[in-house]
Amino acid sequence: MRPKRWVVKFGTGVLSTKEGSLDLQQMENLTKQLIEIKKRQIDVIVVSSGAIGCGMEILGYEKRPDNIEELQACSTLGQPFLMHYYKKFFSSYGFHVAQILVTYFDLDSVSLRRNIQKLLENLLLKKTVIPIINENDCVSYEEIRFGDNDRLSSHIAVLMNADRLIILSNVAGLMDYSNGEKKLISYVDRIDDRIEKLAEGTRSERSVGGMVTKIEAAKISLSAGIQVQIADGREKDVLVRIYDGEPLGTLFKVNKNERSFGADSVSLP
Ligand SMILES: Nc1ncnc2c1ncn2[C@@H]1O[C@H](COP(=O)(O)OP(=O)(O)O)[C@@H](O)[C@H]1O
Ligand SMILES: N[C@@H](CCC(=O)OP(=O)(O)O)C(=O)O
């Protein structure tokens, strides 16, 4: 039987300190948790943001550049910086990291899509390899750009027939801030207008999309029958506790009647 398969997405906020530097302690902690998940015979594919944030720090930007050329430059410097630390932390457990950079264009093309699928299947067979995916920001321009890794992670989850998509962010989950309240929505069994209206954009200089793109990602995954969980990546042992079935964050449950497509038929935005 095929091992269970998780796609785990790390947002920039969860990998960075408040000041915007890479949070090495936090990265090390997430690495350790992924190793624990692997020990439980779960195949893991990581989708990691953070390249542009790292590049912004290297180039001394406090505000996110608003032109694509500078974002591309940030990613060229930030991506190897990010991978250097993933390599460092995973190798201390005897694991190797594999970097896969993709564009919207790659996933929209049937042959390139198949190629990425085959590559990831092959990497997952190598039990000490952790595939780490990011958007190929340095060659992405408007027309071939996802722009956010939330939707990218959901397309990877669908492509790879994952059992779960787990989005780790800097917030406890989907919150209801209406009526001056601050209430965590623990379960969503249907993404309707009410749920969509709760979601707003990001306030961070380094992240993209906020909760809006996470809800879009949830919709894409749920339509393919993949359960989604959005949780705080700084919650202690978050991944292991999710594995143990703790209802952390917001769980988007699959509604069997609404499943509409599978790995071969994703319609890209
Ligand atoms: N309804 C909501 N519930 C929770 N967070 C929300 C909501 N609407 C907007 N947000 C914002 O989304 C942010 C998380 O998304 P984002 O900043 O893009 O992080 P990441 O880097 O993890 O993708 C939260 O910190 C919050 O400011
Ligand atoms: N590809 C970009 C990530 C863009 C993005 O979606 O960021 P985030 O909202 O932090 O998940 C990067 O590596 O900086």
Side-chain angles (χ1 to χ4, degrees):
M1 205 175 72
R2 193 196 85 171
K4 292 256 186 247
R5 190 170 282 180
W6 287 11
V7 173
V8 183
K9 184 248 167 177
F10 298 147
T12 307
V14 86
L15 297 172
S16 320
T17 63
K18 282 200 182 68
E19 295 72 37
S21 306
L22 206 52
D23 186 341
L24 299 182
Q25 211 179 344
Q26 168 67 0
M27 263 184 107
E28 195 169 6
N29 177 285
L30 290 170
T31 303
K32 197 166 146 203
Q33 290 191 54
L34 286 173
I35 299 293
E36 288 301 321
I37 297 300
K38 290 281 289 178
K39 279 191 198 150
R40 289 160 173 78
Q41 312 303 322
I42 306 275
D43 280 343
V44 176
I45 298 171
V46 175
V47 175
S48 176
S49 301
I52 292 179
C54 287
M56 281 171 62
E57 205 195 11
I58 295 168
L59 291 175
Y61 281 110
E62 285 192 1
K63 283 193 119 2
R64 187 180 177 86
D66 49 20
N67 67 79
I68 191 112
E69 291 79 10
E70 277 314 291
L71 290 172
Q72 288 173 333
C74 287
S75 79
T76 59
L77 291 149
Q79 181 67 22
F81 189 82
L82 187 66
M83 289 308 290
H84 166 79
Y85 284 104
Y86 277 123
K87 181 173 180 328
K88 177 175 153 86
F89 295 134
F90 277 110
S91 65
S92 67
Y93 296 95
F95 278 74
H96 305 281
V97 290
Q99 172 184 268
I100 301 104
L101 299 176
V102 300
T103 64
Y104 170 100
F105 182 74
D106 299 325
L107 287 181
D108 197 33
S109 142
V110 174
S111 58
L112 294 178
R113 195 179 160 74
R114 285 258 174 278
N115 204 38
I116 295 167
Q117 192 179 34
K118 272 168 60 185
L119 167 65
L120 286 169
E121 290 291 352
N122 186 20
L123 290 172
L124 290 178
L125 292 175
K126 305 181 193 310
K127 291 297 173 190
T128 54
V129 171
I130 308 280
I132 303 183
I133 301 178
N134 194 358
E135 180 159 14
N136 196 354
D137 297 303
C138 69
V139 297
S140 287
Y141 52 90
E142 230 34 76
E143 287 74 15
I144 61 161
R145 197 169 153 76
F146 277 102
D148 69 272
N149 273 350
D150 296 316
R151 286 175 308 153
L152 173 59
S153 67
S154 67
H155 286 294
I156 295 294
V158 175
L159 180 70
M160 297 309 291
N161 262 315
D163 299 279
R164 273 170 183 235
L165 168 63
I166 297 170
I167 298 182
L168 294 186
S169 186
N170 55 0
V171 65
L174 174 66
M175 308 294 294
D176 181 351
Y177 296 123
S178 58
N179 306 321
E181 281 187 81
K182 194 179 169 195
K183 201 174 82 190
L184 173 69
I185 311 284
S186 304
Y187 291 100
V188 175
D189 52 18
R190 189 159 195 280
I191 301 181
D192 54 17
D193 276 3
R194 186 185 77 89
I195 294 294
E196 293 205 50
K197 280 191 184 126
L198 296 177
E200 291 174 18
T202 184
R203 293 192 193 102
S204 157
E205 283 296 329
R206 293 171 173 79
S207 300
V208 178
M211 199 49 68
V212 172
T213 47
K214 288 172 188 44
I215 297 293
E216 284 176 21
K219 282 207 249 174
I220 293 163
S221 300
L222 292 174
S223 324
I226 301 166
Q227 174 178 301
V228 180
Q229 201 149 351
I230 301 176
D232 183 347
R234 285 199 160 75
E235 181 83 45
K236 191 174 176 347
D237 296 330
V238 57
L239 289 174
V240 179
R241 286 164 66 193
I242 286 176
Y243 175 89
D244 288 340
E246 254 193 71
L248 286 176
T250 305
L251 178 65
F252 294 79
K253 290 204 244 167
V254 175
N255 180 339
K256 294 274 183 301
N257 301 327
E258 287 181 20
R259 184 177 172 140
S260 56
F261 60 75
D264 293 332
S265 57
V266 171
S267 51
L268 288 166

